[in-house]
Amino acid sequence: MPEVLFPLDSNRKFTEQQIIGHNRWHPDIPPAAVVKPGTSFRVHCREWFDGAIHNDDSADDIRDAPLTTVHALSGPFSVEGAQPGDLLIVDILDVGPIPQEDSGPLAGQGWGYTGIFPTVNGGGFLTEQFPDAYKAIWDFSGQTATSRHVPGVSFTGIVHPGLMGTAPSAELLARWNAREGALIATDPNRVPALALPPEPRDAVLGALSGASFEKAAAEAARTAPPRENGGNQDIKNLTKGSRVFYPVFVPGGKLSVGDLHFSQGDGEITFCGAIEMGGFIDLHVDVIKGGMDTYGVSENAIFMPGNTDPQYSQWLAFSGTSVTLDDEQRYLDSHLAYQRACLHAIDYLTKFGYSPEQAYLLLGAAPIEGRLSGVVDIPNSCATVYIPTAIFDFSVTPSAAGPVRIDAGPGAPRSVAR
Amino acid sequence: MPEVLFPLDSNRKFTEQQIIGHNRWHPDIPPAAVVKPGTSFRVHCREWFDGAIHNDDSADDIRDAPLTTVHALSGPFSVEGAQPGDLLIVDILDVGPIPQEDSGPLAGQGWGYTGIFPTVNGGGFLTEQFPDAYKAIWDFSGQTATSRHVPGVSFTGIVHPGLMGTAPSAELLARWNAREGALIATDPNRVPALALPPEPRDAVLGALSGASFEKAAAEAARTAPPRENGGNQDIKNLTKGSRVFYPVFVPGGKLSVGDLHFSQGDGEITFCGAIEMGGFIDLHVDVIKGGMDTYGVSENAIFMPGNTDPQYSQWLAFSGTSVTLDDEQRYLDSHLAYQRACLHAIDYLTKFGYSPEQAYLLLGAAPIEGRLSGVVDIPNSCATVYIPTAIFDFSVTPSAAGPVRIDAGPGAPRSVAR
Amino acid sequence: MPEVLFPLDSNRKFTEQQIIGHNRWHPDIPPAAVVKPGTSFRVHCREWFDGAIHNDDSADDIRDAPLTTVHALSGPFSVEGAQPGDLLIVDILDVGPIPQEDSGPLAGQGWGYTGIFPTVNGGGFLTEQFPDAYKAIWDFSGQTATSRHVPGVSFTGIVHPGLMGTAPSAELLARWNAREGALIATDPNRVPALALPPEPRDAVLGALSGASFEKAAAEAARTAPPRENGGNQDIKNLTKGSRVFYPVFVPGGKLSVGDLHFSQGDGEITFCGAIEMGGFIDLHVDVIKGGMDTYGVSENAIFMPGNTDPQYSQWLAFSGTSVTLDDEQRYLDSHLAYQRACLHAIDYLTKFGYSPEQAYLLLGAAPIEGRLSGVVDIPNSCATVYIPTAIFDFSVTPSAAGPVRIDAGPGAPRSVAR
Amino acid sequence: MPEVLFPLDSNRKFTEQQIIGHNRWHPDIPPAAVVKPGTSFRVHCREWFDGAIHNDDSADDIRDAPLTTVHALSGPFSVEGAQPGDLLIVDILDVGPIPQEDSGPLAGQGWGYTGIFPTVNGGGFLTEQFPDAYKAIWDFSGQTATSRHVPGVSFTGIVHPGLMGTAPSAELLARWNAREGALIATDPNRVPALALPPEPRDAVLGALSGASFEKAAAEAARTAPPRENGGNQDIKNLTKGSRVFYPVFVPGGKLSVGDLHFSQGDGEITFCGAIEMGGFIDLHVDVIKGGMDTYGVSENAIFMPGNTDPQYSQWLAFSGTSVTLDDEQRYLDSHLAYQRACLHAIDYLTKFGYSPEQAYLLLGAAPIEGRLSGVVDIPNSCATVYIPTAIFDFSVTPSAAGPVRIDAGPGAPRSVAR
């Protein structure tokens, strides 16, 4: 096991640890540790809500989730010699839930959760159809996940960090704030919001304090969206064995990581759609000097996925196009097309006995594939979603005999938005 | 080999065949053949432009491609007993280029083409960056494709029909025309167009003639977009061995098929992005009575892909978010995110010696994967595109040594839009 | 389609064709055609018994199969410039059953067969347990095989040539005859035989005639065993897209091919264990001058399998060790270990309702994997056999509920050895 | 993490632990722990030689390896209610090297080893060609292995237990001793031995002591060979996520496990051919009452491999037949055929600069596939070995340009047998 450079004590809050992480992006956050190129090290990660979500049968915690506190990130880690213009090579040597702790109140201690956020608290991909809060708890057995809230399925987790990235430069941060502010300004009172502006409340900025903290907290970017620095990309394929190349915008690169997922479907569609957990990640870092220009990588990560993802060979797939449920034709809207494909999958699964929210939670958490199948055939995009049939305990494919009806149990806890 | 129910003579135009197909969707087009459930049959398919694109080194044919003539479709095939509300089970037993004809002027005779359409003639996914016409010719050797216009790559084709679907009912057709007309009306003179209205010019409607033809031609839907009936979904995974379930909207279902692709990347991003070809497809059809309601499939195909797709285990991937090149922030626009991911891939490949259009053509034709990775992290969607590294003759991954520079040859033919 | 260099008329016997193939190995057999390096060409192949096995419900034809007539091979094909010491590169561009002929009396016309040979006529891997003749007919639908004699299964064929190889030199042929003769001499009357000596009866030697024929027929090697020239290797993974490197022992290499299989399990355990068929194969040939020494390939083929083999992700596996059924301990006998693993699989499958011979026929024909798992742990080898669970229409894995019992129908035709 | 039922302290010998394991098979060894069906638990495992092999550049330790001390096994674990005739379901939840200990003198502390045993001390699969001792040390980085002794390769470990099984009944043990004794008696002085008789010296039998120990040590079976109880099967595919079904021969089943491998090729051909290590394994156990009869599993494990094995899509394969290097023809000897295939692979790899022993060590350790391709074509078996090309840092496939020559470094340490 590599040396632990960022330890977390499961019995203490994220802000009461030996080393304090951060939950905003800002170039001034000092490094939590400095490493040489070629170093391997272990990082503990707290689940993104720092323990606010519980292993119980109520969705109140999802309904009331404190979005200003996320994401609890570990780091930043500065790499000696890395300079703006370089590419940071990050190898994910290993990643998993909290070792040695099989049970406890923290997600990652033998369990994780998937949430559907209510519209008034962030919403999700299908928030129009699912305006309330729902939750599913998943139990881990080795790399397998099952849920009392979504019976009849069990699958191998596709474990990965939902969020990893380098620090923005001051200039880049200013661009983010400018363009996101401009978007917000087009509809400042929208629910859910169009974007999240800097928010000093609940900001955690590592070792920063005093005036430096105040200045940074006022302008630091929220961690929800992925951006030029990587960040919250929620790419389910960043599994063990992956190599990621990040652009370097500040000296040292300042790599941070968090938001570990035990599993996730493409899109993480319920917003808190993955199986959220705390845990550990082992990283190896190196540098390609001048790599941004050499390889034309000015922004966003490029990567090579690992080769141990769970394998499936039979899939049931659903398609959708960019027409709304009200039959309004949109122009090449792949986002809408994927929504429609997912809704089709949900409709289908309800025929087997699942509630719509159970199906929705499942699509967020299981290793489904979401593909942009057609993006040019005006006016309709075509998106497709592929579900591995082997995750079901029963036969889920269509036949002349019709669907079996499973006992879907009491279902997923729900909390009506206040 | 199953019986040929829809033969095509490679020496004659699509409209001069023994049985005439169609290039519009309309419920009144009479069946080209009627089959019983449980039947297997072979269908010949003409390439979508009926021979207008040539195996040469000029892109003039792409520039001037007659879009009103597409798609040359084979069918419709009525299935006895199929009624609205049923699901039509379509098994793709086999699909490939024109057997027995290894060379000739028709795409599918040992070769195929990929085109980038100019903005004034339809454009494509990245038409802002690529406003002119380009073409790549691909040569087939068994299931392998190579191109004199895109050297340094060779890959196993992921052969599939780009377009397959059932006929719309009159009511469904009316909905299509209404909603697409409404979209067009928002910007009727846009270039490229927002959608394509019915167009009697060049309409081919099977055995329809006289007043019936005139009526149908005036209201028949264009075949470019995928819709509730399946249609031009361009799902690259509908390979041999796939089973597709189509909703039935008219008695007999009236299945049609065409637009065969020797290979295609997710999205078919250059518009004519697949490797276009004529060929054959062997189908087996069956019916699930009442299946639309039983399985909740009111529209769009659901399907199970075959298990003989070309396998790759190492990928180089690129990510993008929903920010424009001008740094404008868009709200959860996965379409834009995929554009940015593709542009990143193109930028990268140019560092190895390819011209941008060669890279663009390659992404359209090779079996790349396009995924909706994050769709909920406001305001940025994250899309990713995965390129199998094994398709390159050289090492295409980043390293400290920097990229090799290949001899990319004279490049892809270009024709400036007039 | 590449030019047909070796045509076969399905209505005529193998010995009455325009070009006559061969069924023995001998350096003097003249080339059926001469090709340049870099050429692609099509070869028709007759099923190995030239039509002696019928699509019916009797195993008499298997019981009486004329083993002196096999294998009906197409070729040889001489490659210009190939000289002893070179490596012949053979690309399998495509391979399949007889195109255009969906039904007829020849295996390959929409159907194929698997046979268990009786002990007195060759036997098979488990001939002690299965001394009589059995047959299963398989029907082809696209690339899928099903059988009225083995109900409850359907699988994607892993199509390949069972036999391909170059001609031996006179010296190599002499070595074969010497060493195989020495083996036969140790037990010349064994049933089944230890090996098959040259047999002029039923010999077919292409264009050879007169004294040349007599001389060659007297010394030509039988085609049953694989040898230094490749030959009857029965490697199920030589599917479409494979590249094979054969040593060249005579000028031109003299490549021959035949014994096409629609599918086969590792080992081809029932002797005639694959799904036997006639059909076509498209080849591309090239030469690596001096390649045998350059790459240390003095004998036997080396190869790179294609990447479109049917994919499965769930397997049920059985193990065996080198102990006989009579509890006699053998020393590291992997052959015996694989027999025991296969017998375990057969025992298991009978619990679901199959007869032992149905299970045995299935293991010969379906794409099972046979692995040498442990070969050093004295005194026991360990071999394992992996069956893809998806080929069964029912759940075939063990559970507390016990096995389902299927209706295995009337079973496989049997003919008691005379 | 499940509860640790069998802890090991890395600083103490295997025989000085809190709970003592065993290195022989005997029904009288008392359970180390008793668990209920449905329980998950963690087991620590010592590397099979209990620390006798060092991370250095000498092969003396391999030459002198104390074979009477192996295998250091953890267990046995009794499952409540399991009775003879039942099947024990064992799920491998996780398996890996020693957590938390990245460096140290024990294999499993960040490193492992592969050994070629000298002929006088056990030998190996190719002991005639490799009579001396050799060693390769492999370093672990996440799930990736590299070696200073075999440069130019790096691969994802296919981590598994080499040895797992239930206890034999007294009757079964007696059968083992009888049949193995009979084999030894045929050539009692053979080097290497035909089999290993019971050996009281160095026997470790858990909590047994006194007369019980003496009796059991005199008759307990050695752990080298796999047998009816599973045991040292060295099945590389028993990776995380696998489910294994073991026959139960004694009350409680008495499951034991050990001989963890970081990786291994099919056959574990160098005898100590895997990458040997100590570590942990997490198991879940359950029982199918009466399962041996219900499913016809009277002996040997049946299993379902996990779905996270490292994936490769391009392979270079070698074939061999059952003819000796001296051109002696053997009858359907698949063991010999696999030896010849492996020797062909070794010959090939030496053309790239490797020494023969480097190539041999690599084939033992890397995730190569060994298949029984043809087992019925008298007199020659055909076996094949598949090497994933992606494990090499250079292009390893044949081409007209000839092989690259790598710098293979000082090579693998060698110790001449005394």
Side-chain angles (χ1 to χ4, degrees), chain C residues 262-278:
Chain C
F262 191 80
S263 186
Q264 186 202 288
D266 273 339
E268 202 196 6
I269 65 172
T270 68
F271 181 40
C272 178
I275 302 181
E276 305 286 343
M277 68 173 189

Side-chain angles (χ1 to χ4, degrees), chain D residues 6-25:
Chain D
F6 194 93
L8 289 174
D9 178 341
S10 291
N11 295 311
R12 301 167 71 180
K13 299 290 291 179
F14 184 64
T15 51
E16 296 163 2
Q17 302 286 331
Q18 173 188 345
I19 303 177
I20 308 297
H22 61 110
N23 63 4
R24 300 287 189 274
W25 290 115

Side-chain angles (χ1 to χ4, degrees), chain B residues 56-140:
Chain B
D56 60 22
D57 300 315
S58 163
D60 289 356
D61 47 9
I62 294 289
R63 182 192 59 192
D64 305 331
L67 279 171
T68 53
T69 69
V70 298
H71 294 77
L73 296 184
S74 302
F77 303 97
S78 271
V79 181
E80 285 186 15
Q83 291 297 332
D86 295 346
L87 281 178
L88 193 63
I89 306 178
V90 180
D91 289 317
I92 300 177
L93 304 182
D94 201 359
V95 53
I98 305 172
Q100 320 268 4
E101 295 174 15
D102 198 29
S103 65
L106 268 183
Q109 291 177 318
W111 64 280
Y113 63 90
T114 300
I116 298 173
F117 273 48
T119 306
V120 294
N121 194 26
F125 192 51
L126 304 175
T127 199
E128 289 185 38
Q129 287 75 41
F130 298 91
D132 294 321
Y134 295 92
K135 185 169 76 176
I137 300 297
W138 300 88
D139 292 305
F140 307 159

Side-chain angles (χ1 to χ4, degrees), chain D residues 21-94:
Chain D
H22 61 110
N23 63 4
R24 300 287 189 274
W25 290 115
H26 197 283
D28 294 347
I29 301 172
V34 179
V35 298
K36 293 184 189 304
T39 306
S40 299
F41 55 98
R42 174 163 289 201
V43 179
H44 292 170
C45 296
R46 182 57 50 90
E47 69 98 353
W48 73 311
F49 271 117
D50 189 21
I53 313 299
H54 311 300
N55 184 349
D56 60 22
D57 299 315
S58 162
D60 290 355
D61 47 10
I62 294 289
R63 183 192 58 193
D64 305 329
L67 279 170
T68 53
T69 68
V70 296
H71 295 75
L73 297 185
S74 303
F77 304 96
S78 271
V79 181
E80 283 186 15
Q83 290 298 330
D86 295 346
L87 281 178
L88 193 63
I89 307 178
V90 180
D91 289 316
I92 300 176
L93 304 182
D94 201 0

Side-chain angles (χ1 to χ4, degrees), chain A residues 55-125:
Chain A
N55 184 350
D56 60 23
D57 299 314
S58 162
D60 290 355
D61 47 9
I62 293 289
R63 182 192 59 192
D64 305 330
L67 279 171
T68 53
T69 68
V70 298
H71 294 79
L73 297 184
S74 302
F77 304 97
S78 271
V79 181
E80 283 186 14
Q83 291 298 331
D86 295 345
L87 282 177
L88 194 63
I89 307 178
V90 180
D91 289 317
I92 300 176
L93 304 181
D94 201 359
V95 54
I98 304 171
Q100 318 269 6
E101 296 174 16
D102 198 30
S103 65
L106 267 184
Q109 291 177 320
W111 64 279
Y113 63 90
T114 300
I116 299 174
F117 273 49
T119 306
V120 293
N121 194 25
F125 192 50

Side-chain angles (χ1 to χ4, degrees), chain D residues 188-204:
Chain D
N189 301 316
R190 186 176 186 273
V191 175
L194 288 173
L196 302 172
E199 169 59 81
R201 181 164 51 105
D202 292 329
V204 180

